[in-house]
Amino acid sequence: MNTLQQGDIVLFQGDSITDCGRDRNYSASLGHGYPLLVDSLVGMKYPELNVTFLNRGISGNRVVDLNHRWQEDCIDLKPDWVSIYIGINDTWRRYDSGDATSAEDFKAGYRQLLERTKEALDAKLILVEPFVVPVPEDRRAWREDLDPKIHAVRELAVEYGALLVPLDGLFAAASARREAAYWAPDGVHPSPAGHGLIAKAWLDTMGISVN
């Protein structure tokens, strides 16, 4: 492992997949999803590093919501690593409420987050691409909207020298091993196994071995 350093602060940002039931009244709460799994595994394998993991995911958030709270929920926390996992709600709102976010607006808003982070912090970036699997069947239609957003995240990772966690392909591959609903019962929100898949992908991307 050559990424995390002694005393690093790692911030997880995003929507409900990151939020995952965290206690808003307890600033150190990580919820019960992939941020907790990452903290558990890193703390178990590398206790001497004394890494602090923070979770500021909020259910329902889109890129625009992250921008509205970025000062308080990112920059003011002075993290050494910023992990951003956003995008599925920018697609979902088109289909459940007719409130679409174009791929261009999504990318522009995401770029603003990255610019603000680079300007204010000497933090390293991890971008987690959104995913969807076809459960229920109507989720297949979401690909038209989500795929350009996934490509935007990949392009921004290259542009900003960020690490990229390639979740969409990983969930597709996992769904060839066992049915998609096993990994994400509603096509979006991961099961415990799905959160395990995210945590492992995140750690692998960071070059962190917990074997």
Side-chain angles (χ1 to χ4, degrees), residues 87-110:
I88 192 60
N89 290 315
D90 292 88
T91 285
W92 202 337
R93 294 296 84 81
R94 170 183 170 182
Y95 295 97
D96 71 357
S97 58
D99 186 7
T101 302
S102 70
E104 293 75 19
D105 286 347
F106 174 78
K107 189 174 185 179
Y110 209 130

Side-chain angles (χ1 to χ4, degrees), residues 7-8 24 26-27 30 38 52 55 67 78 82 96 101-102 154 156 178 181 186-187:
D8 271 358
R24 301 288 198 283
Y26 177 45
S27 63
L30 292 172
V38 169
T52 299
N55 184 351
N67 267 306
K78 296 180 170 57
V82 179
D96 71 357
T101 302
S102 70
R154 294 171 180 172
L156 288 168
R178 182 155 176 189
D186 66 354

